[in-house]
Each structure stands twice: as structure tokens, then as C-alpha cells.
Amino acid sequence: MAKRFYITTPIYYVNDVPHIGHAYTTIVADVLSRFHRQSGFETFFLTGTDEHGNKVLQAAEAAGKTPEAYADQISALFKDLWPQLDISNDYFIRTTAEKHKKVVQLILKKVHENGDIYFGEYGGHYCFGCERFYTQRELVDGKCPDHQKEPQFIKEKNYFFKMSKYQNWLIHHIEEHEDFIRPEIYRNKVLSFLQEPLEDLCISRPNNRLSWGISLPFDSRYVTYVWFDALINYISALDYPSGSAFKKFWPVAEHLIAKDILIPHGIYWPTMLRAAGIPPYKRLNVHGYWNIKESKMSKSLGNIIRPLEVKEKYGLDSFRYFLLREMAFGLDSNFSEDALVQRINSDLANDLGNLLNRTVAMVIKYFEGKVQSPGPVETIDEALRETASSVVEEVEVFMREMAFNKAFSSTWKLIAKVNQYLDQTAPWSLAKEKKQQRRLATVLYNALESLRIIAILIYPVMPRTGVEIWRQIDLGAQLPEQEFSQAKIWGQYRVGSIVERARTLFPRVDTPKAQGMDG
RNA sequence: GGCGGUGUAGCUCAGUUGGUUAGAGCAUACGGCUCAUAUCCGUAGUGUCCGGGGUUCGAAUCCCUGCACCGCCA
């Protein structure tokens, strides 16, 4: 059985510029992809942009552009951002791509022919800006909260998807598959949502009101609305129905989303797939929000965190590490520069960076940079090896569970253990005695070997740092191709390597109080 | 209004099925080392486990109730 892994991010809507939320989701997907590639999985990592709808059309008009040109421009903002955050996606899907539109129409046709799409009438308070209906309760002083305008009551005929027909099947499927939606709190939310009767889903808009969309194959007076367009990207990118990528990767599909789109992904999408005769995805992974200073991030509060600004100021790997270390997957977390600086100084500069630095410095000082072969194993060496081995095992389990905070806290147990090991074996004292040269060589070898392993463990989240550690300890640039299993085998580090003292891994951030980016 | 979540050390949080003196990291204080990015190692803490009531030999954990904050739904 081939080991395969398929991970998706949502496709991001192009009326918004990239912020920390987009960055987090995409970085998590990247870390998972790198980890699975390390673990020998054939991996497909998908991200992209959602480009239809009125908001895009209006923004295009405001900018004096065609919607095509405008979508190209904003889509490129995302596409160009990802390489700068070391995102290793295999494909970038756009909903305006021909291949996507074809699949959307194919699915619509299929579901329509199966009798699961019908024509009906719907009336309600409609906000043209949002291109959606509002309930009375959602309105603030009778006005749309986004546009501060009174919605109009309209009645119109539209196409509906018989979602209700698949409600029982879906409940059953979720109950049978414990891992279908995780963490559990989101699985429970979906199940409790399903306790009420599902309404059918309105899937069209008349094209005289919304022209920027994909035409219904069975009625050209309408375009499809939102979900039958956007969600289908996950299979159109794989060249559904006959593409080899679809056959290989769909059975192992895992989606990654923030909690705001739980219902579309947990309910609409599986029922759509069912109606189209496609098996459901394997798993939906749901994460929480990044709050800024205890409040929600929003344009109106002016507290948008821009990923490239953080990278510029603190470095990319630090940012990636912080995001994964600080958030318990599934829960909300707070982003603050103070917390980021604290992580950088204590975890990265003091613990990890300084460990590499002191180890390499001693090899240079005592052996002119050349790694000597180790001597007999002592009890304290054995304890270090055992810690390394148990940490590697824990990290593997935690990564599979998406418990990144635990995975890295575990990795840091090993880093602390090596610092402690150096303290207890005191190589600087051994260096003073001629007959302790072999013991000195052993201690330094063990520290370097630990660093080799640590680099493999941190590679998914901090690829640049991992590679830099390997370079400094003369293991070359092969870390990205290194199997995770190599972290499990002690003693891989080559005797005779020439270590190199290069740049500081993480400079300490000494500003007493960081400010500017979040306030 | 209905449902759900959260409330534990100064801060961020762990605490499995109820079981000894409630934990980790950071921050703080003191001590040690000097290879290292004034870094590292060790020691020390401090807690009305949101309030009240109950079950139990025993409750942060289970039940009831109140308060605060958050989310989803109507």
C-alpha cells in the first residue's frame, strides 16, 4: 500500500489581502507536507484563490479594471507571497481556470441529472453588496452590518441542491468515522448542527445580477453561487474525473480550514460529493483564530498582521515557529510581538542557537574543527541517547495528531537535555587533561549527533534553520531529502566532519518593548 | 432564548477513566560553570484549581446552582 498524503488549504477570496490567518493555515499545511515527505509519503499540497462573485466584480470596477485583470492581480499577491514564506505547495488552483470551470459544470450536470437540483422560489432581505440574504436578526438597525445599507426584500427563482436528502447519510458517516472531523469539538458542532433538519442549499444567482461566475450547464440564465464553485477546487485541481492525481490522492484527501467555514466543509461538501457519486474526503482539520490583543482581527480595528512585515522584522523561521508552537491546534490564540520576541529569545536564541554555537565553538577550539571518533559509551551518554529516541517517537506521534505545540515542546526537551549534558560532562574541563581527549571527543560527538537529529525534527517548521545547522556541522545541504527515520538511528553523524563557525542562527531581540506591528 | 465551550501560579497554558504534598514553560530571586548569542546548569517558590452547595473514604476532575467571558444557532 503506497503511502500518500493530500492536504489542501481553503482557496482564498481575492478581495482580501493576505494576513496572519491565511499565513497560519498555509504554513500548517506546509509543515504537514514537509513532515509527510520526510516520512516517505508521496505528497500533494494544494492552495489557490477563489475569484468569482460580486465583491470581486465591484472591486474591479472601482479599480477601473476588468474582473479578469483584477482577479489576476490579487491572485498573484497570494501566489507570489507563498514562496516568500517557504510554502512548498505542489499546485496553485484558480477558480477562473478553464480546467476548474469544466469540472464545476460537470458536477452540476451530474447532480442535476440525478435529480438532486431543483428550481424553486425564495424570498428574503437581500444585500447586494454581500450578495446574500440576511435574516432579521443578523441586521443591525435594519441594516447590513458590513455595508450599513438596508437590504431589499426580493423574491426570485433559483436552483436548489437537495442537501436534506443526504442528512441521515452524513450523520451516519460522521458517527462511523471518528476522525472525519477533528478536533472533536468541531465534530460535535457539526453533529449538533445536524440535529436540526437541514435546509436545501441555494446554489445559483441570476446572471443579470451576478455575471462574474460559472454558468449553470442546464440554464444559461444563471451562474452558480459560491459553494458549488469554490469547494470543487479540491477535485478540479486533481483533474477529476480521470486524472491520475485524482485517483492517487483523493482517497487520502485532508482539508485544513479555519473554524469560520466549518459548516460548508463539514456539511455542504460531503453531501455534494455524495450526490455526485464521489466518495467523501478522508478528514477535515479545523483550527481556531489568531486574536490580536484579545480582540478579533479586523480591518476596521486596523490590527491586521501582515506576514511579510513580521518576516522582515523577525525572520521567517522565527515567525513560522511561533505560529505553530504557540497555538494549540483547534483553539484560538493571541498574537503579540512581546510573545513572539520571548519565544525568539528563549527558545530559539538561548536554547537552540546557543547550543549549536557552543558545540561548534568547542570542536573548533579543541580539535581545530575536525570531529574525532567517539570512545566508550558511559551512563550519561546512554541517557542522552534514550532522551533523543523517546523525543523522536513523541514528535512523530504529535505531528500526526497535529499537536504542533506538543511536538515542539518535546523537541525542546531534547535541546534542554543536550545543554544539560554539556554542563554535566564539562568538555572545557576535559580539554585541560591530556588523557581525557577521547572522552572529550565522545562528548562533542554526542552533542553534534543530537544536533543532527534536532535539525531533522525542526526541518518541517524551520526549513532554513535546519539546513543551516546541517551546513555548519558539515552534513551538506541534503536535509530536505533526509528521511525522518534517520532521526531514529543514533550514530549517523560522520567522524572526520569539519565543522564551520558561521552566522548566528537567531540573534537575540533586545528591544525592551516591541511595538509597532500590533498597535 | 436554545446548545456548546472556557474560567488552574505574575503571564501562556498541561492536568488521561475522581486517588498521595496540583504541574510545565516564560518571567522573578539566589547559587554554580565559563565552551557559548550576558548564553547554559541547579535550587526556590508562591495557587480560595471562578463562587456556593452536594455525592464520596477521597473532587481541579462527577452532580446541582450562581457569576464572568467566548462561540454557534434561532
Side-chain angles (χ1 to χ4, degrees):
Chain A
M1 200 176 64
K3 287 162 72 179
R4 292 190 177 121
F5 182 68
Y6 174 36
I7 186 77
T8 70
T9 72
I11 45 174
Y12 303 116
Y13 198 54
V14 295
N15 82 328
D16 203 2
V17 298
H19 56 64
I20 188 175
H22 299 115
Y24 175 73
T25 311
T26 313
I27 288 169
V28 167
D30 184 65
V31 170
L32 286 169
S33 295
R34 288 176 190 270
F35 172 71
H36 281 86
R37 287 188 206 109
Q38 267 187 330
S39 305
F41 285 73
E42 189 182 356
T43 295
F44 195 88
F45 169 13
L46 176 70
T47 188
T49 42
D50 182 11
E51 307 182 13
H52 290 122
N54 260 343
K55 287 186 182 176
V56 172
L57 193 59
Q58 288 162 354
E61 277 165 8
K65 297 191 173 192
T66 64
E68 287 87 350
Y70 183 79
D72 283 350
Q73 179 196 330
I74 307 291
S75 176
L77 273 182
F78 283 89
K79 193 170 185 175
D80 297 344
L81 169 65
W82 301 137
Q84 298 181 69
L85 300 182
D86 284 356
I87 300 301
S88 61
N89 57 303
D90 295 287
Y91 192 73
F92 188 94
I93 183 84
R94 300 183 55 186
T95 56
T96 48
E98 270 319 304
K99 94 174 194 183
H100 174 73
K101 294 190 208 169
K102 273 188 178 162
V103 175
V104 168
Q105 293 191 321
L106 178 67
I107 298 286
L108 282 164
K109 188 159 170 270
K110 218 168 161 176
V111 176
H112 186 243
E113 279 168 5
N114 287 350
D116 285 339
I117 289 176
Y118 63 91
F119 201 44
E121 192 170 55
Y122 185 77
H125 298 276
Y126 193 86
C127 171
F128 286 85
C130 302
E131 80 191 48
R132 56 163 283 198
F133 290 96
Y134 275 96
T135 61
Q136 282 299 337
R137 255 302 165 85
E138 289 174 307
L139 301 173
V140 179
D141 299 326
K143 291 176 181 173
C144 156
D146 276 8
H147 293 83
Q148 327 293 337
K149 273 194 240 166
E150 263 183 56
Q152 294 177 30
F153 186 84
I154 60 169
K155 256 187 166 173
E156 69 183 21
K157 293 217 161 200
N158 264 309
Y159 285 91
F160 291 82
F161 166 53
K162 280 189 194 169
M163 195 158 68
S164 53
K165 181 175 160 187
Y166 298 100
Q167 177 160 12
N168 286 333
W169 164 79
L170 180 58
I171 292 171
H172 194 69
H173 186 80
I174 295 173
E175 281 171 349
E176 293 281 289
H177 299 83
E178 216 171 308
D179 248 12
F180 187 61
I181 299 170
R182 70 176 178 183
E184 202 181 359
I185 74 165
Y186 296 108
R187 178 177 185 263
N188 293 341
K189 275 185 198 246
V190 169
L191 280 173
S192 85
F193 194 94
L194 286 168
Q195 279 175 357
E196 302 293 318
L198 276 185
E199 283 181 28
D200 290 340
L201 191 65
C202 183
I203 61 157
S204 69
R205 289 289 183 269
N207 67 6
N208 59 12
R209 219 180 64 227
L210 174 62
S211 57
W212 183 234
I214 300 172
S215 290
L216 297 185
F218 42 82
D219 190 340
S220 60
R221 298 169 302 162
Y222 288 85
V223 299
T224 191
Y225 168 69
V226 186
W227 302 112
F228 261 83
D229 179 352
L231 291 167
I232 287 170
N233 89 86
Y234 301 133
I235 59 174
S236 69
L238 299 180
D239 301 317
Y240 173 84
S242 52
S244 65
F246 179 76
K247 294 193 174 83
K248 274 161 70 170
F249 291 110
W250 184 249
V252 294
E254 298 208 29
H255 299 308
L256 179 65
I257 61 166
K259 62 185 182 181
D260 57 334
I261 45 178
L262 174 64
I263 297 303
H265 283 78
I267 295 178
Y268 305 172
W269 181 222
T271 56
M272 285 165 59
L273 286 164
R274 182 74 176 171
I278 300 168
Y281 53 80
K282 181 180 163 198
R283 186 150 54 201
L284 177 64
N285 303 286
V286 188
H287 67 76
Y289 288 150
W290 282 99
N291 294 323
I292 313 298
K293 291 200 169 156
E294 309 293 326
S295 60
K296 278 189 192 176
M297 179 171 56
S298 75
K299 276 187 190 167
S300 54
L301 283 172
N303 58 1
I304 303 280
I305 302 292
R306 296 213 155 69
L308 287 180
E309 288 178 19
V310 183
K311 173 186 173 178
E312 184 73 19
K313 195 163 173 185
Y314 296 106
L316 177 57
D317 278 6
S318 303
F319 181 47
R320 290 174 56 116
Y321 172 75
F322 177 83
L323 291 179
L324 271 86
R325 176 64 184 81
E326 200 74 7
M327 178 176 269
F329 189 84
L331 303 178
D332 292 356
S333 275
N334 293 310
F335 180 90
S336 75
E337 280 194 78
D338 287 349
L340 173 59
V341 166
Q342 195 171 72
R343 286 276 175 215
I344 291 172
N345 283 345
S346 73
D347 296 5
L348 300 180
N350 294 351
D351 294 348
L352 175 58
N354 184 56
L355 171 61
L356 175 71
N357 202 314
R358 69 195 298 211
T359 304
V360 164
M362 285 190 278
V363 178
I364 290 169
K365 193 161 180 176
Y366 304 139
F367 294 122
E368 280 145 5
K370 190 169 178 187
V371 177
Q372 307 295 307
S373 75
V377 177
E378 297 191 3
T379 314
I380 193 169
D381 307 341
E382 194 53 48
L384 176 63
R385 287 161 72 147
E386 275 167 21
T387 301
S389 153
S390 68
V391 162
V392 171
E393 264 177 54
E394 277 177 16
V395 169
E396 192 168 27
V397 170
F398 289 144
M399 291 295 280
R400 294 247 158 87
E401 292 173 356
M402 308 194 71
F404 307 110
N405 57 338
K406 292 183 185 171
F408 298 118
S409 124
S410 184
T411 302
W412 256 255
K413 277 199 314 207
L414 176 56
I415 291 168
K417 185 76 181 179
V418 185
N419 273 322
Q420 188 185 48
Y421 174 80
L422 288 176
D423 201 66
Q424 288 170 351
T425 54
W428 49 91
S429 301
L430 298 173
K432 289 173 188 155
E433 297 177 51
K434 253 262 149 40
K435 62 178 190 176
Q436 291 284 18
Q437 290 304 291
R438 196 71 193 283
R439 184 63 196 147
L440 175 61
T442 309
V443 166
L444 293 181
Y445 179 89
N446 286 337
L448 288 161
E449 171 63 354
S450 303
L451 281 162
R452 178 189 70 87
I453 291 168
I454 290 162
I456 295 173
L457 298 183
I458 65 169
Y459 172 74
V461 67
M462 297 189 284
R464 293 179 189 204
T465 301
V467 167
E468 175 64 16
I469 291 173
W470 267 41
R471 198 184 67 71
Q472 287 195 32
I473 65 176
D474 195 25
L475 283 169
Q478 304 313 305
L479 182 58
E481 289 81 49
Q482 192 65 203
E483 289 264 338
F484 186 85
S485 60
Q486 291 301 305
K488 297 175 183 171
I489 306 165
W490 185 272
Q492 302 290 295
Y493 188 60
R494 273 198 326 269
V495 170
S497 300
I498 309 289
V499 304
E500 179 190 335
R501 184 141 186 207
R503 66 174 179 92
T504 295
L505 234 36
F506 300 98
R508 285 182 61 85
V509 181
D510 279 327
T511 46
K513 181 96 174 155
Q515 41 182 261
M517 209 164 297
D518 57 356

